[in-house]
Structure formats: structure tokens, C-alpha cells
Amino acid sequence: MSIILFCEYSIPDAHRDRFLTWVREAPSRWIGAELAENREQPGVFVELRRPADEREASEMKKERLEGRSWTEMENWVKGGRGGLRVWTFVPLLP
């Protein structure tokens, strides 16, 4: 089964440049993740991660919501910690 962990958040324009600099400063933070910005709504970002199984998906979700990866971004995300939305998706068709 192919699982997708989907994270979505908005970075206000006042913090966007600093966020992009931070992203580019340490590409190792994003290993295993696809990070993309919405073309029609600059500042809206998504992360796609592909955990191996349900256990790994749960660990990734917990880390993303509560762990070290969140701390540095907290002041930039619109809505603070509550502005980070994380969902797990599974395919409907094989």
C-alpha cells in the first residue's frame, strides 16, 4: 500500500523570504519530502512524504506536529502551531 503524508501551511508574505532562505540553508531537512509552493497562492506550501507503512506514517505525523521540525517554523506559519495541517492518505485504487 502506498501511503502519503500530506502537510499544508501558509507563510504570510512578511515571512516568506526568510522561510525560503531557511528551507534552502539545510536541504537535509527535506530528504524524503517533496516541498512545493502554490503558484496561484504564493505562500501556501505543501509537503508530501511517502512513509513505508502505517507505523512510519504515525511517527512522521507526530514528529511533524510536535517535534523538532516544527519549532523553527512556528513563528512564520499563519495561525502558529494550529496552522499546520497534516493528513494521511491511502490510495483508493491499486
Side-chain angles (χ1 to χ4, degrees):
M1 171 175 27
S2 176
I3 300 170
I4 298 171
L5 187 72
F6 181 90
C7 305
E8 186 265 334
Y9 45 89
S10 178
I11 305 289
D13 196 48
H15 302 294
R16 185 175 169 272
D17 287 342
R18 177 63 193 119
F19 172 74
L20 292 173
T21 298
W22 177 76
V23 166
R24 293 177 181 125
E25 285 174 348
S28 61
R29 281 186 195 107
W30 309 101
I31 291 174
E34 295 176 55
L35 177 61
E37 183 176 18
N38 187 318
R39 289 184 136 189
E40 289 76 29
Q41 298 177 55
V44 174
F45 294 88
V46 296
E47 301 171 21
L48 295 173
R49 299 170 190 268
R50 298 188 183 273
D53 54 33
E54 292 285 344
R55 181 195 55 77
E56 187 176 33
S58 180
E59 289 173 3
M60 285 180 173
K61 184 174 183 177
K62 181 176 174 59
E63 199 289 325
R64 198 65 190 94
L65 288 170
E66 302 170 8
R68 63 183 165 67
S69 67
W70 169 252
T71 307
E72 295 180 77
M73 293 176 53
E74 187 167 359
N75 294 321
W76 301 327
V77 173
K78 182 179 177 181
R81 189 171 290 247
L84 178 66
R85 290 168 292 283
V86 182
W87 300 284
T88 305
F89 293 87
V90 294
L92 294 177
L93 302 172

